[in-house]
Amino acid sequence: MADEVLVAVASNFSGAIKAVAARFEEQTGHDMVLSFGSTGKHYAQIRHGAPYHAFFAADATRPQLFEEDGRIVPGSRYTYSFGRLVLWSPQENRVDAHGEVLATDGFTRLAIANPRLAPYGTAAQQVLESRGLWDTLQPRLVRGENIGQTYQYVQSGAAELGFVAYSQIRTPDSDPSGSAWIVPEELYTPIEQQAVLLKDTPAARAFMDYVRSEAAARIIEGFGYRVARE
């Protein structure tokens, strides 16, 4: 019988999980209800009783805390992808291949996700600190509540450039528009994204199993993520 699965999803993973969920719905008839937002906000909502069946975070910290608190189905925590950070502008030639624009006066606003709520924001802070620019760029920073809002700031022109998730500008069917610097992963702590099963229903377990399948892995990689095969 068809069932409903409520899933809390980190904003950066929206495109990929929509594609995966659509394929899952076609094959099973189950209904997927996806809620997108910052990992920090989802964590707080779940702690206060939000009725999600599964949680796809943008980090490994919150899923591990839920496991330590006994809030997840035992053994369900796993790494579903590794995110990649990119400095992006929708304008051609605005961002150079090494991110040197960050040290120039070639922009007035730089968007990042809030480092307190979003792992991609933490990664952006680490990159700026590694370049010695974190303090000097404070007056020019525009902080999004999550990586989705951060992308909107850049896409709309409210900020000329910003640190976003590579998955937001890369899809299986198109190359990134504008200009971008794919940040070397050694400049920030790996964005290990983990998922946990919060309520053990047949439909929810089936979805978690499907996300770990090779078919889902190929979809996820098409959106610019790294997937660690088990």
Side-chain angles (χ1 to χ4, degrees):
M1 292 180 62
D3 205 347
E4 189 174 73
V5 183
L6 308 180
V7 187
V9 186
S11 297
N12 76 87
F13 199 56
S14 61
I17 202 167
K18 285 176 183 176
V20 171
R23 191 74 58 85
F24 176 76
E25 288 177 329
E26 289 175 4
Q27 295 184 9
T28 66
H30 296 310
D31 293 321
M32 301 301 302
V33 180
L34 308 174
S35 176
F36 303 107
S38 72
T39 290
K41 281 215 162 184
H42 279 317
Y43 176 76
Q45 290 169 353
I46 293 166
R47 286 190 63 87
H48 286 90
Y52 295 112
H53 294 95
F55 176 36
F56 284 75
D59 66 8
T61 302
R62 274 82 162 199
Q64 183 174 351
L65 289 172
F66 279 147
E67 183 177 52
E68 292 170 354
D69 290 344
R71 290 176 175 265
I72 72 169
V73 175
S76 68
R77 179 169 67 90
Y78 84 103
T79 300
Y80 65 89
S81 71
F82 288 88
R84 300 168 70 187
L85 186 71
V86 62
L87 180 67
W88 174 69
S89 171
Q91 298 174 310
E92 297 286 346
N93 303 317
R94 169 76 74 168
V95 177
D96 59 279
H98 302 286
E100 294 175 359
V101 64
L102 292 168
T104 74
D105 293 326
F107 64 97
T108 57
R109 292 288 182 268
L110 170 68
I112 70 169
N114 187 334
R116 296 196 309 273
L117 295 173
Y120 281 82
T122 302
Q125 179 176 342
Q126 291 171 346
V127 173
L128 292 175
E129 288 174 342
S130 74
R131 290 283 179 96
L133 296 170
W134 176 246
D135 292 330
T136 58
L137 287 179
Q138 287 300 309
R140 289 194 264 176
L141 292 185
V142 179
R143 291 173 173 81
E145 182 178 280
N146 53 57
I147 200 67
Q149 187 176 71
T150 305
Y151 173 83
Q152 289 300 322
Y153 285 153
V154 185
Q155 194 273 335
S156 69
E160 295 99 323
L161 60 157
F163 283 102
V164 301
Y166 186 40
S167 58
Q168 292 173 303
I169 64 170
R170 156 80 184 273
T171 70
D173 304 318
S174 66
D175 293 326
S177 61
S179 53
W181 170 47
I182 301 175
V183 182
E185 292 184 63
E186 61 266 22
L187 293 184
Y188 55 92
T189 302
I191 304 175
E192 183 178 7
Q193 304 194 183
Q194 292 195 338
V196 291
L197 185 61
L198 300 167
K199 296 182 180 179
D200 196 0
T201 68
R205 182 173 286 274
F207 180 68
M208 295 292 278
D209 289 342
Y210 183 73
V211 177
R212 300 177 80 158
S213 71
E214 181 60 27
R218 288 195 297 269
I219 294 173
I220 294 168
E221 287 174 334
F223 282 86
Y225 294 93
R226 274 197 302 115
V227 176
R229 263 63 172 190
E230 298 178 355

